[in-house]
Amino acid sequence: SSVLVAEDNSTSQWLMREMLSTLGCRHHLVGSGQEVIDELKANPSRYDLLLLDLHMPEVDGLAALRTIRAGGAGPAVQSIWIVALTAEVRLDQRELAFAGGLNDYVLKRAEASARQLIVIRLHIDMLYVLLSRAQQPGGGMRAETEGELLASFKILTAKYA
């Protein structure tokens, strides 16, 4: 899987890089909502998943989310799986994000046990993306996607079973 990470904090960028490397994901980091939109426009078929910080400079995560869902980053990415990664715990913020088209919402935490839960949650999101991408018009699954799924399950079970 290939993941676009939108995060402006260097410590959080490092943490995301480590987590995604642990999961075996290709990833690219950007630091603002505008950079997310620009990257998706420039590379519409590169990413399977967008991890989006909701509070960033220039264009914040909610504005970027609305722009993507409205087609402002191109029609090919309008339905990309988007997960908010945020320290924000306000219910109204969460409701706004889901109303704007967010697929999942994960709280950032610094403790080791919380980081482990974030990795598991992101892994589940990526498996969902792979499964939805794997479906062929006549049924069945593409062989390369089946291999990715099996590798993902092996990583998940080896680390957390």
Side-chain angles (χ1 to χ4, degrees):
S1 291
S2 186
V3 180
L4 178 59
V5 180
E7 173 61 65
D8 63 316
N9 179 282
S10 61
T11 303
S12 294
Q13 284 179 348
W14 176 84
L15 185 60
M16 288 295 98
R17 190 178 305 116
E18 291 298 309
M19 285 184 192
L20 292 170
S21 294
T22 298
L23 293 171
C25 294
R26 293 179 307 273
H27 54 278
H28 178 69
L29 292 151
V30 297
S32 75
Q34 186 59 53
E35 289 179 49
V36 168
I37 294 164
D38 294 343
E39 179 64 21
L40 290 173
K41 279 182 184 177
N43 300 292
S45 61
R46 180 177 292 172
Y47 302 103
D48 302 306
L49 177 68
L50 169 60
L51 302 180
L52 183 65
D53 183 8
L54 296 182
H55 302 286
M56 293 182 293
E58 258 185 270
V59 174
D60 71 10
L62 284 175
L65 172 67
R66 286 191 293 270
T67 299
I68 293 164
R69 293 301 189 224
V77 296
Q78 204 166 354
S79 62
I80 190 171
W81 192 264
I82 302 175
V83 177
L85 285 173
T86 185
E88 183 68 61
V89 294
R90 290 184 8 229
L91 184 59
D92 61 327
Q93 182 80 27
R94 185 180 167 118
E95 289 172 355
L96 276 173
F98 279 113
L102 190 67
N103 296 102
D104 200 1
Y105 190 98
V106 178
L107 292 175
K108 292 186 228 176
R109 295 286 187 240
E111 307 86 35
S113 61
R115 286 195 310 267
Q116 190 174 39
L117 290 174
I118 290 170
V119 169
I120 292 169
R121 184 81 171 267
L122 293 178
H123 206 89
I124 290 168
D125 281 318
M126 289 186 307
L127 290 173
Y128 179 85
V129 169
L130 284 171
L131 282 171
S132 63
R133 192 178 72 196
Q135 296 174 2
Q136 293 182 339
M141 184 180 298
R142 293 190 302 270
E144 67 274 10
T145 305
E146 184 175 4
E148 285 183 76
L149 281 170
L150 289 173
S152 294
F153 279 119
K154 284 179 184 176
I155 291 169
L156 186 62
T157 54
K159 288 195 173 293
Y160 307 108

mmCIF file of all heavy atoms in Angstrom, residues 2 4 20 27 29 49 82 127 138:
data_model
loop_
_atom_site.group_PDB
_atom_site.id
_atom_site.type_symbol
_atom_site.label_atom_id
_atom_site.label_comp_id
_atom_site.label_asym_id
_atom_site.label_seq_id
_atom_site.Cartn_x
_atom_site.Cartn_y
_atom_site.Cartn_z
ATOM 1 N N SER A 2 0.348 2.292 -0.565
ATOM 2 C CA SER A 2 1.047 3.567 -0.589
ATOM 3 C C SER A 2 0.201 4.600 0.160
ATOM 4 O O SER A 2 -0.993 4.748 -0.111
ATOM 5 C CB SER A 2 1.275 4.004 -2.034
ATOM 6 O OG SER A 2 2.069 5.152 -2.064
ATOM 7 N N LEU A 4 -0.233 8.570 1.737
ATOM 8 C CA LEU A 4 0.128 9.983 1.798
ATOM 9 C C LEU A 4 -0.155 10.454 3.214
ATOM 10 O O LEU A 4 -1.261 10.256 3.733
ATOM 11 C CB LEU A 4 -0.682 10.800 0.790
ATOM 12 C CG LEU A 4 -0.434 12.308 0.785
ATOM 13 C CD1 LEU A 4 1.021 12.637 0.491
ATOM 14 C CD2 LEU A 4 -1.358 12.982 -0.234
ATOM 15 N N LEU A 20 4.575 3.476 9.683
ATOM 16 C CA LEU A 20 4.300 2.999 8.328
ATOM 17 C C LEU A 20 5.417 2.098 7.820
ATOM 18 O O LEU A 20 5.153 1.128 7.103
ATOM 19 C CB LEU A 20 4.066 4.179 7.393
ATOM 20 C CG LEU A 20 2.773 4.951 7.684
ATOM 21 C CD1 LEU A 20 2.724 6.239 6.894
ATOM 22 C CD2 LEU A 20 1.540 4.094 7.429
ATOM 23 N N HIS A 27 5.354 5.411 1.657
ATOM 24 C CA HIS A 27 4.668 6.606 2.131
ATOM 25 C C HIS A 27 5.401 7.868 1.683
ATOM 26 O O HIS A 27 6.582 7.829 1.347
ATOM 27 C CB HIS A 27 4.519 6.586 3.654
ATOM 28 C CG HIS A 27 5.800 6.379 4.381
ATOM 29 N ND1 HIS A 27 6.345 5.130 4.574
ATOM 30 C CD2 HIS A 27 6.659 7.253 4.942
ATOM 31 C CE1 HIS A 27 7.472 5.247 5.238
ATOM 32 N NE2 HIS A 27 7.703 6.525 5.465
ATOM 33 N N LEU A 29 5.420 12.149 2.844
ATOM 34 C CA LEU A 29 4.994 13.120 3.847
ATOM 35 C C LEU A 29 4.873 14.508 3.240
ATOM 36 O O LEU A 29 5.746 14.931 2.476
ATOM 37 C CB LEU A 29 6.009 13.178 4.988
ATOM 38 C CG LEU A 29 6.070 11.928 5.849
ATOM 39 C CD1 LEU A 29 7.444 11.753 6.436
ATOM 40 C CD2 LEU A 29 5.040 12.000 6.943
ATOM 41 N N LEU A 49 -4.282 5.463 0.584
ATOM 42 C CA LEU A 49 -4.751 5.925 1.884
ATOM 43 C C LEU A 49 -4.138 7.292 2.176
ATOM 44 O O LEU A 49 -2.988 7.532 1.844
ATOM 45 C CB LEU A 49 -4.299 4.912 2.949
ATOM 46 C CG LEU A 49 -4.594 5.178 4.413
ATOM 47 C CD1 LEU A 49 -6.078 5.100 4.699
ATOM 48 C CD2 LEU A 49 -3.855 4.155 5.282
ATOM 49 N N ILE A 82 -9.689 8.186 3.755
ATOM 50 C CA ILE A 82 -9.047 9.243 4.533
ATOM 51 C C ILE A 82 -9.241 8.986 6.027
ATOM 52 O O ILE A 82 -10.364 8.825 6.502
ATOM 53 C CB ILE A 82 -9.606 10.640 4.168
ATOM 54 C CG1 ILE A 82 -9.415 10.917 2.673
ATOM 55 C CG2 ILE A 82 -8.924 11.724 5.013
ATOM 56 C CD1 ILE A 82 -10.032 12.223 2.189
ATOM 57 N N LEU A 127 -5.954 -2.684 5.377
ATOM 58 C CA LEU A 127 -6.539 -3.943 4.919
ATOM 59 C C LEU A 127 -7.896 -3.693 4.255
ATOM 60 O O LEU A 127 -8.208 -4.304 3.232
ATOM 61 C CB LEU A 127 -6.686 -4.918 6.089
ATOM 62 C CG LEU A 127 -5.377 -5.481 6.631
ATOM 63 C CD1 LEU A 127 -5.644 -6.292 7.896
ATOM 64 C CD2 LEU A 127 -4.677 -6.324 5.590
ATOM 65 N N GLY A 138 -15.739 -9.555 -12.211
ATOM 66 C CA GLY A 138 -16.305 -10.900 -12.278
ATOM 67 C C GLY A 138 -16.182 -11.676 -10.988
ATOM 68 O O GLY A 138 -16.416 -12.873 -10.948
#
